[in-house]
């Protein structure tokens, strides 16, 4: 069937973090939210129907994944990403951020060094710092407008005693989809210096034409035993509120340590609607996803063209994956906090300020294009009006 991603659906008064909390988050109500990483699109019909049917059963007792749940996840990773996994590698988590905290706690000790690559998803910093570990940053470099890993810096940092790395793949916010050669080189370094890798691959299904997501642990059996891959249907099918994700942990010692730490929190099993949605999405959602990626690709081109013609001061980093776009506002000549005030109070748009993503993010902002194009157009018009008033 044909999905209509141009349809604008009012999300207000639905307890939406994105739409119902402008005052608390930005300090004003009259703002167009284009920030937090969920989409304004309805989930695939098959998912909605499965949830409705499950709700009609009327009993919502304690639940756990059954064969269909695991079979759907295993088939998806095999068919979509050419990665064959075993069911006993799978461990439940209510979310990837929760998993990051538990993995840091269970696989490292207080004071250990954990490496991240800024500018990067802010919870990476918090998962390290809030657990009493030391953040070691290897900042991404920009070459010909494209972000790349600094392998010389990585090796230097690894040789200094780094115990763990949190990899963002595809990368949020810069939109890179790492190529096999890059991941191979990174994997060799991790093996050489005995660095455990947590690979956050929550955006791994959201890949634009011409690029391919490669699960880190699929590169070699040796690297698989030193890796934990974080997956979820939440970004792919807009199911974040169901709080259901899975870790793929081939190493039984890592898996045992994670599950012991997770169980101490009192969380054990996925909720009944998360189970239902995951299975339906992975079994019947591929056509919806393919149409979504086509729509998002057109939105990227619309945004790129509009900026070039009407707002050349704002530069777009071409995304290779995700529905998040990294925008460079440095030509406006504003300090980071000044830029955020301008975007909120002058332009009336809610973006994620770049400085929250760590070093290399100053002067940037993250824009979520997971919305109807008319909403994106309104956001651009607000920006254009505000920028014109500066001159």
């Amino acid at each position: 069937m044909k999905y209509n991603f141009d349809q604008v659906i009012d999300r207000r008064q639905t307890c939406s973090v994105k739409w119902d909390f402008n005052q608390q988050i930005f300090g004003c109500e009259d703002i167009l939210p284009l920030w937090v990483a969920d989409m304004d699109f309805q989930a695939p019909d098959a998912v909605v129907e499965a949830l409705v049917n499950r709700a009609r059963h009327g009993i919502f007792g304690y639940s756990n994944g059954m064969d269909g749940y695991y079979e759907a996840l295993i088939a998806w990773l095999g068919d979509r990403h050419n990665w064959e996994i075993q069911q006993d590698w799978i461990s439940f988590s209510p979310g990837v951020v929760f998993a990051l905290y538990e993995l840091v706690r269970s696989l490292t000790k207080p004071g250990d060094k954990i490496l991240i690559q800024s500018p990067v998803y802010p919870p990476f910093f918090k998962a390290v710092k809030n657990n009493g570990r030391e953040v070691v940053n290897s900042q991404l470099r920009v070459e010909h407008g494209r972000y790349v890993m600094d392998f010389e810096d990585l090796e230097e940092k690894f040789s200094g005693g780094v115990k763990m790395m949190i990899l963002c793949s595809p990368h949020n916010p810069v939109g890179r989809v790492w190529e096999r050669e890059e991941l191979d080189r990174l994997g060799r370094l991790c093996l050489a210096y005995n660095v455990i890798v947590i690979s956050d691959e929550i955006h791994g299904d959201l890949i634009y034409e011409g690029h391919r997501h490669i699960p880190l642990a699929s590169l070699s059996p040796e690297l698989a035993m030193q890796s934990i891959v974080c997956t979820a249907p939440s970004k792919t099918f807009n199911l974040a509120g169901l709080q259901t994700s899975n870790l793929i942990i081939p190493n039984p010692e890592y898996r045992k340590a994670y599950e012991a730490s997770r169980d101490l929190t009192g969380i054990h099993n996925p909720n009944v609607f998360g189970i239902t949605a995951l299975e339906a999405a992975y079994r019947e959602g591929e056509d919806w996803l393919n149409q979504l990626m086509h729509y998002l690709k057109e939105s990227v081109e619309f945004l790129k063209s509009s900026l070039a013609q009407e707002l050349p001061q704002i530069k777009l980093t071409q995304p290779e994956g995700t529905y998040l776009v990294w925008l460079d506002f440095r030509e406006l000549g504003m300090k980071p906090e000044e830029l955020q005030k301008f975007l909120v109070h002058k332009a009336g748009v809610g973006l994620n300020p770049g400085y929250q993503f760590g070093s290399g993010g100053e002067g940037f902002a993250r824009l979520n294009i997971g919305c109807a194009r008319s909403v994106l157009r309104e956001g651009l018009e607000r920006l254009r009006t505000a920028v014109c008033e500066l001159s």
Side-chain angles (χ1 to χ4, degrees):
M1 67 173 294
K2 176 69 174 175
Y3 288 94
N4 180 16
F5 295 104
D6 282 319
Q7 181 183 5
V8 177
I9 299 171
D10 188 359
R11 296 182 63 189
R12 294 177 179 86
Q13 303 302 313
T14 64
C15 301
S16 166
V17 170
K18 183 177 181 182
W19 286 92
D20 286 327
F21 295 89
N22 283 342
Q23 185 66 47
Q24 294 92 322
I25 293 167
F26 295 104
C28 61
E29 193 64 44
D30 185 21
I31 192 170
L32 185 66
L34 296 166
W35 61 290
V36 68
D38 69 13
M39 297 184 285
D40 293 336
F41 307 130
Q42 289 184 333
D45 285 356
V47 173
V48 176
E49 291 169 7
L51 289 171
V52 169
N53 289 335
R54 183 63 185 84
R56 287 197 179 108
H57 183 262
I59 300 175
F60 313 113
Y62 295 115
S63 56
N64 205 346
M66 296 178 66
D67 288 345
Y69 176 95
Y70 294 108
E71 289 168 1
L73 173 58
I74 291 167
W76 181 266
L77 292 175
D79 295 341
R80 191 89 182 178
H81 301 297
N82 196 31
W83 184 26
E84 302 300 326
I85 70 166
Q86 299 175 20
Q87 181 170 323
D88 63 4
W89 295 358
I90 303 169
S91 290
F92 167 73
S93 171
V96 169
V97 172
F98 173 90
L100 295 179
Y101 275 75
E102 293 305 316
L103 289 165
V104 167
R105 267 197 291 272
S106 60
L107 299 179
T108 65
K109 299 176 181 178
D112 278 352
K113 297 178 179 179
I114 300 179
L115 184 140
I116 60 177
Q117 295 170 297
S118 73
V120 74
Y121 184 48
F124 283 18
F125 296 92
K126 294 179 180 179
V128 178
K129 292 180 179 178
N130 291 354
N131 282 306
R133 277 64 168 173
E134 179 184 345
V135 171
V136 175
N137 184 38
S138 180
Q139 187 172 322
L140 298 175
R141 295 188 292 110
V142 180
E143 293 183 357
H144 309 294
R146 191 176 189 232
Y147 284 83
V148 297
M149 298 188 196
D150 188 335
F151 287 104
E152 289 73 22
D153 185 63
L154 278 171
E155 184 162 15
E156 180 181 341
K157 301 287 173 59
F158 283 175
S159 68
V162 166
K163 298 297 184 182
M164 174 182 281
M165 173 184 183
I166 306 178
L167 173 69
C168 202
S169 178
H171 195 281
N172 169 15
V174 306
R176 269 305 315 276
V177 175
W178 305 115
E179 296 175 359
R180 179 176 293 275
E181 292 75 14
E182 294 171 298
L183 293 173
D184 274 333
R185 188 172 178 184
L186 175 65
R188 289 195 300 270
L189 285 174
C190 291
L191 290 170
Y193 290 96
N194 197 30
V195 175
I196 300 170
V197 190
I198 303 173
S199 187
D200 176 0
E201 302 187 8
I202 197 169
H203 293 277
D205 297 319
L206 300 162
I207 308 298
Y208 295 109
E209 186 178 351
H211 304 278
R212 180 189 168 202
H213 172 67
I214 300 172
L216 182 73
S218 70
L219 293 176
S220 73
E222 295 78 15
L223 188 55
M225 292 297 287
Q226 208 157 300
S227 306
I228 298 96
V229 173
C230 304
T231 72
S234 53
K235 303 302 182 188
T236 308
F237 298 104
N238 211 28
L239 304 175
L242 296 181
Q243 298 186 333
T244 301
S245 64
N246 292 283
L247 310 185
I248 315 303
I249 314 177
N251 187 316
E253 293 183 7
Y254 294 171
R255 192 166 59 251
K256 181 179 179 181
Y258 161 73
E259 291 178 352
S261 181
R262 179 200 63 194
D263 290 351
L264 287 174
T265 68
I267 293 174
H268 301 280
N269 303 324
N271 74 71
V272 65
F273 291 111
I275 292 170
T276 300
L278 180 145
E279 184 173 350
Y282 284 152
R283 289 191 185 281
E284 301 181 70
E286 188 166 38
D287 181 53
W288 180 92
L289 175 58
N290 291 338
Q291 291 184 48
L292 168 71
M293 293 312 302
H294 179 76
Y295 188 84
L296 291 176
K297 178 184 177 183
E298 290 183 339
S299 291
V300 170
E301 293 307 313
F302 166 73
L303 176 61
K304 185 177 181 180
S305 174
S306 297
L307 291 176
Q309 294 175 19
E310 301 176 13
L311 288 165
Q313 308 95 323
I314 303 172
K315 303 296 189 294
L316 175 149
T317 301
Q318 184 72 35
E320 300 169 354
T322 84
Y323 50 77
L324 306 168
V325 178
W326 192 230
L327 297 177
D328 184 351
F329 290 86
R330 289 177 295 178
E331 283 191 20
L332 297 183
M334 299 181 186
K335 295 179 180 179
E337 292 78 7
E338 181 186 3
L339 172 61
Q340 181 63 2
K341 289 180 181 178
F342 168 78
L343 292 173
V344 171
H345 298 289
K346 296 297 183 182
V349 293
L351 310 184
N352 294 93
Y355 59 80
Q356 292 183 347
F357 296 82
S359 60
E362 303 86 353
F364 288 78
R366 191 188 75 172
L367 168 70
N368 179 352
I369 63 167
C371 57
R373 205 157 300 134
S374 61
V375 175
L376 182 59
R377 186 178 294 110
E378 180 185 346
L380 284 171
E381 180 58 28
R382 291 186 180 206
L383 271 175
R384 188 190 66 79
T385 299
V387 170
C388 286
E389 290 176 356
L390 290 173
S391 56

